[in-house]
Amino acid sequence: MSSAKGFQTVLFRVLPIPDLLQKNPPLGEALDAVHVALVWMLLGLIGLHVLAALKHYFIDRDEVLARMTPGLAPPAPKEMS
C-alpha cells in the first residue's frame, strides 16, 4: 500500500525497504480500503473472542476463562433451583 501510494517504507526508522510496487495512487487507495476492512474484521474477531470468554465465565460458569487468566478464581457453581 505504501509503495503504491509513493511512500518509502523504513523499518525501525533505519533500514529502507525496497518498493514492492510502482507508484500507482488508485491501487494505493484500493489497498488502503482493504487494509481498513481487515483491521475492522480483526477487531471484530477479538471482540467476539472476549465476549465468548466472558460468556463461559458468567453464563456457563465453567473454568475456561480461569484457566487462561492467572490469578482468576473459577466461578462459583450454578445454584440448582
Side-chain angles (χ1 to χ4, degrees):
M1 176 181 69
S2 296
S3 297
K5 286 185 168 189
F7 295 107
Q8 176 70 47
T9 304
V10 181
L11 188 63
F12 303 119
R13 298 184 183 195
V14 176
L15 183 64
I17 298 175
D19 289 337
L20 298 174
L21 302 169
Q22 293 180 357
K23 185 175 179 180
N24 184 342
L27 177 60
E29 293 303 317
L31 291 172
D32 187 31
V34 169
H35 186 263
V36 169
L38 289 172
V39 167
W40 282 109
M41 286 172 39
L42 180 62
L43 288 173
L45 286 172
I46 291 169
L48 284 173
H49 191 85
V50 169
L51 289 174
L54 293 174
K55 176 206 168 273
H56 274 280
Y57 190 77
F58 290 110
I59 296 173
D60 297 343
R61 295 197 179 271
D62 58 19
E63 297 182 9
V64 171
L65 185 60
R67 286 194 317 251
M68 293 187 294
T69 310
L72 182 65
K78 289 182 185 178
E79 292 184 21
M80 302 296 277
S81 47

